[in-house]
Amino acid sequence: MSIEENIRKIKNSIPEEVTLIAVSKTKPVEDLTAAYNQGIRDFGENKVQEFLDKYDKLPKDIKWHLIGHLQRNKVKYIVGKVHLIHSLDSIRLLEELEKHYKAGEMMAQALIQINIGKEESKTGIYQEDIEEFLEACERCNNVKIKGLMTIIPQGDEESCRNYFKETKAIFEQLKLRKFNNIHMDILSMGMTGDYEIAIQEGSNMVRVGEGIFGKRNYNNK
Ligand SMILES: *Cc1c(COP(=O)(O)O)cnc(C)c1O
């Protein structure tokens, strides 16, 4: 199926209040343009250099989402260019964002990445470390926390559903509390293989790559 057909199909199958992010990592600018022409304005990239190349070549009304682990030495390149950072995964990164956004007199918007499956291969905050992390967020002035993001462990439908439920429960608990700088509005969970389950379990932002653009070929990079 074409990019256009994939987008039409996904948009028809998800509620209007769920934001669809087209994850365009490794894909050429022409593919992003095809998605743009189909009405997509939210694009997800995971590498800063690739994001910057595409940022320069594509229309300025695109909202760019950084979804991959962000190295602290790359923060200075993204200030003012990224709409939402999904992968805030350490206090040191938080402090680096605060420093550079303050210097640029800008506001960063970020999601706290939760490592819900406690996988060592993934970054993200463990559930038991969230309180300490929130305290650090409250001390910031130039980083606004908009919600949570998670990448769940691979597994069958029941396993996916349980990890989504656990993340949603954390999200709802935090939503009840009052914080400085922190508003639990966005719950970013669900990818090509599981976004429908994620939405059923309360996601309001899904990150779909292969389901829109087709298989990624890393060897071509
Ligand atoms: C690549 C990626 C996606 C998209 O994955 P697909 O399976 O292609 O939909 C979503 N989220 C993150 C963090 C990713 O790195």
Side-chain angles (χ1 to χ4, degrees):
M1 275 204 295
S2 68
I3 291 170
E4 288 81 3
E5 286 171 314
N6 289 336
I7 291 171
R8 230 177 292 131
K9 205 186 76 188
I10 295 169
K11 276 193 176 166
N12 284 334
S13 73
I14 67 176
E16 223 173 298
E17 62 273 16
V18 174
T19 303
L20 171 62
I21 299 176
V23 176
S24 46
K25 61 192 187 197
T26 79
K27 295 295 176 180
V29 166
E30 303 81 72
D31 286 7
L32 281 78
T33 300
Y36 182 90
N37 290 338
Q38 199 61 34
I40 295 284
R41 291 295 178 274
D42 293 89
F43 287 89
E45 289 286 337
N46 67 339
K47 295 220 160 66
V48 169
Q49 188 55 56
E50 187 179 344
F51 153 65
L52 292 171
D53 290 345
K54 290 172 176 171
Y55 178 89
D56 284 338
K57 291 179 182 147
L58 285 152
K60 291 296 168 244
D61 63 342
I62 288 177
K63 293 176 183 163
W64 292 99
H65 297 255
L66 206 62
I67 60 173
H69 174 64
L70 175 57
Q71 288 172 299
R72 284 178 294 137
N73 61 4
K74 302 275 172 68
V75 167
K76 55 181 176 284
Y77 303 116
I78 66 160
V79 175
K81 295 184 171 174
V82 171
H83 173 70
L84 184 64
I85 299 158
H86 290 232
S87 41
L88 177 53
D89 56 13
S90 74
I91 291 181
R92 290 170 79 197
L93 175 60
L94 174 70
E95 288 169 351
E96 197 71 10
L97 287 167
E98 172 74 5
K99 186 176 98 186
H100 284 279
Y101 275 80
K102 182 170 281 184
E105 296 179 1
M106 305 254 205
M107 283 291 177
Q109 300 194 105
L111 306 179
I112 302 171
Q113 182 174 348
I114 306 292
N115 189 344
I116 198 70
K118 289 197 173 172
E119 293 173 285
E120 278 181 25
S121 61
K122 295 194 172 108
T123 63
I125 309 294
Y126 286 2
Q127 189 165 356
E128 60 265 31
D129 298 329
I130 292 176
E131 290 302 323
E132 184 192 357
F133 197 81
L134 293 170
E135 283 169 24
C137 295
E138 286 202 283
R139 290 194 292 271
C140 291
N141 293 307
N142 293 72
V143 182
K144 297 274 171 228
I145 304 299
K146 306 290 286 183
L148 305 180
M149 178 273 231
T150 194
I151 308 169
I152 62 166
Q154 293 201 333
D156 60 15
E157 182 180 332
E158 194 192 344
S159 158
C160 292
R161 212 173 267 292
N162 284 333
Y163 284 119
F164 289 142
K165 272 196 207 324
E166 279 179 42
T167 313
K168 166 76 166 167
I170 298 169
F171 179 76
E172 286 302 326
Q173 280 162 17
L174 296 179
K175 212 180 166 78
L176 294 173
R177 293 166 56 190
K178 277 249 172 298
F179 297 101
N180 187 29
N181 287 329
I182 302 168
H183 288 278
M184 286 292 141
D185 298 326
I186 298 172
L187 182 55
S188 167
M189 57 185 196
M191 317 194 337
T192 296
D194 57 18
Y195 71 87
E196 283 160 312
I197 305 169
I199 292 169
Q200 287 163 15
E201 299 304 337
S203 169
N204 58 20
M205 189 172 269
V206 292
R207 311 177 306 265
V208 180
E210 295 195 332
I212 290 176
F213 296 107
K215 282 250 170 288
R216 282 181 293 275
N217 188 345
Y218 288 95
N219 296 331
N220 280 346
K221 281 290 297 174

